[in-house]
């Protein structure tokens, strides 16, 4: 085997190791395991003899369950034993939900977009409702908006199909506008 071929293969192995390390580091906060890093190197490096990484950590277990792989990427890594499970995020902030509701202000019910638009307004109103009810200030801090969503829900009767939303379009949009106005008049309540 020529020297340039050996050099090229060694460079490819180093590149594979580097990419595997970056992929693992970007996809998981845990440090890469030596055996995970050794697998791509030993597969990519045709150099005869055991690689330093495989002798240090031993060969990978033959009976280990195969893990799904991204083409060209490193195998996914499980968190080290003893790490706590990820913490679920807390309730959404009212200001974030209000921003989503405000994003619907520039939209309208147009052919080909009406079902999406009405569904989105409905969803954003309920996102606001959940955020206001979960706010540390308590649901009593947002009585008018919460009452407006409850009134809308009574009118919709639990039916959020496009046909029903279209039938109650003026109430749906009116509720959005009413809550927008109330929130604009109470900026200290959500900032």
């Amino acid at each position: 085997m020529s020297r340039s071929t050996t050099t090229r293969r060694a460079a490819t192995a180093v590149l594979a190791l580097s990419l595997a390390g970056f992929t693992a580091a970007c996809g998981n906060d845990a440090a890469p395991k030596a055996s995970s890093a050794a697998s791509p190197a030993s597969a990519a490096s045709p150099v005869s003899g055991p690689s330093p990484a495989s002798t240090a950590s031993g060969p990978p277990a033959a009976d280990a369950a195969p893990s799904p792989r991204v083409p060209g990427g490193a195998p996914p890594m499980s968190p080290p034993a003893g790490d706590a499970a990820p913490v679920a995020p807390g309730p959404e902030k009212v200001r974030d939900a209000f921003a989503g509701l405000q994003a619907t202000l520039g939209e309208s019910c147009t052919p080909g977009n009406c079902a999406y638009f009405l569904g989105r307004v409905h969803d954003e109103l309920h996102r606001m409702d959940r955020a206001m009810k979960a706010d540390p200030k308590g649901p009593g801090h947002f009585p008018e908006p919460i009452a407006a969503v409850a009134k809308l829900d009574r009118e919709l009767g639990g039916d959020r199909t496009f046909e029903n939303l279209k039938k109650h379009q003026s109430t749906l949009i009116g509720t959005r506008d009413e809550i927008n106005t109330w929130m604009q008049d109470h900026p200290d309540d959500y900032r």
Side-chain angles (χ1 to χ4, degrees), residues 66-83:
S67 59
R69 293 185 67 132
V70 176
M77 296 176 47
S78 58
D83 278 3

Side-chain angles (χ1 to χ4, degrees), residues 81-124:
D83 278 3
V87 178
E92 183 172 26
K93 294 185 186 291
V94 173
R95 71 166 186 251
D96 297 336
F98 183 44
L101 185 67
Q102 284 184 306
T104 67
L105 292 172
E107 299 177 22
S108 62
C109 190
T110 59
N113 189 39
C114 196
Y116 167 77
F117 169 70
L118 294 177
R120 180 167 179 216
V121 170
H122 179 271
D123 292 347
E124 293 295 346

